[in-house]
Amino acid sequence: MKLVVANLFRFAALGLLLILLFRTEWLSFILVPLTSNNAPPVYTQNSLPSLAFGHLELVVFSIVGSAILAVLAGVFVTRKSGEDFLPLSRAIANAGQTFPPVAVLALAVPATGFGAAPTLIALFLYGLLPIFENTVSGLRQVSPSVLDAADGMGMDAIQRLLRVELPLALPLILEGLKVATVINIGTATIGSTVAAKGLGEVIIAGLISDNTAFILQGGLIVGLMAVLIYDAMGLIESAITQRIGLRPA
């Protein structure tokens, strides 16, 4: 029963997202009351699918960069040779969330100019902490007896990391990746303030023109994308952990 309800929710959310992207005019009867002074209820200054694609492009590139650095750093500080660098690495990862993305944009724009670059820098920094902390936690929770068994089988340090530690830490690493992705989907809306292509354009247009219909369109699309992508990543995580035997089928 729970599976049926979950699938119904997924199909309903996906259907609404597709309508908002490709047939927003179907919802005009809901949006018109949210406008004033005969303002248009549907955002048409730019293609919504194109803006959504640009938005996701920013998220994907930034998360890939964050994941590579955060996982490598997490592995390094859980080795004997890198233990002393844990406080520094943690402070750097925390700094990404300590500084508001808007502040990062303000600092990055003079160096990189307007467009996608400053937004990618802000999102990259914002995505580091969840992935780094989950990588460290996942690697630290591996049982010493399991590590001893790997050593007893003649594995060297790299083999033990790749065949034992990372697979056992994978569920927590993937959870951190999911959290970082959802955070960045929402945060990427600020990129439109520095001319990055994304759904923030719709929300900002609504704020400037006092058009609640535009704000609702942009907000709903971003929210639905975040929910559906988080859910899809959860399904992928379950499939991977089942395949490597960390979760019962």
Side-chain angles (χ1 to χ4, degrees):
M1 183 63 183
K2 288 183 179 179
L3 181 60
V4 173
V5 173
N7 285 334
L8 285 175
F9 173 79
R10 289 181 186 118
F11 284 122
L14 180 60
L16 179 56
L17 177 61
L18 292 175
I19 290 172
L20 284 165
L21 287 175
F22 297 100
R23 288 292 183 268
T24 317
E25 64 274 9
W26 292 359
L27 303 176
S28 292
F29 68 97
I30 297 174
L31 300 174
V32 167
L34 301 176
T35 63
S36 57
N37 300 321
N38 294 318
V42 176
Y43 186 80
T44 57
Q45 284 91 322
N46 210 330
S47 164
L48 288 176
S50 176
L51 291 177
F53 180 79
H55 194 98
L56 290 177
E57 202 171 27
L58 290 172
V59 172
V60 169
F61 280 112
S62 63
I63 284 295
V64 168
S66 297
I68 291 172
L69 180 59
V71 171
L72 289 176
V75 169
F76 175 64
V77 299
T78 52
R79 308 301 97 182
K80 281 287 185 183
S81 58
E83 285 180 347
D84 293 340
F85 293 92
L86 177 58
L88 175 61
S89 300
R90 183 164 278 152
I92 294 172
N94 272 290
Q97 299 248 350
T98 302
F99 286 98
V102 174
V104 177
L105 289 179
L107 293 172
V109 165
T112 64
F114 288 89
T119 307
L120 286 171
I121 293 172
L123 296 179
F124 167 78
L125 293 174
Y126 224 55
L128 287 174
L129 183 61
I131 306 172
F132 173 76
E133 289 293 351
N134 278 37
T135 300
V136 172
S137 298
L139 290 170
R140 281 183 164 177
Q141 75 172 8
V142 178
S143 171
S145 61
V146 173
L147 299 179
D148 290 340
D151 291 337
M153 294 172 63
M155 291 186 185
D156 59 31
I158 294 178
Q159 289 175 326
R160 191 179 74 171
L161 173 66
L162 296 178
R163 296 183 184 179
V164 178
E165 294 181 72
L166 283 176
L168 290 175
L170 189 60
L172 268 179
I173 295 174
L174 291 175
E175 188 62 34
L177 188 63
K178 286 195 300 181
V179 171
T181 300
V182 170
I183 289 173
N184 278 10
I185 290 173
T187 308
T189 54
I190 66 167
S192 297
T193 61
V194 292
K197 187 175 182 181
L199 291 162
E201 177 181 317
V202 184
I203 297 172
I204 291 172
L207 291 171
I208 292 173
S209 62
D210 194 25
N211 190 332
T212 307
F214 287 178
I215 299 172
L216 182 63
Q217 288 170 63
L220 276 176
I221 293 172
V222 171
L224 287 169
M225 286 198 315
V227 169
L228 288 168
I229 289 173
Y230 185 87
D231 182 61
M233 292 179 73
L235 294 175
I236 293 170
E237 176 191 351
S238 296
I240 291 173
T241 52
Q242 284 178 12
R243 185 174 180 83
I244 62 179
L246 296 180
R247 184 177 298 176

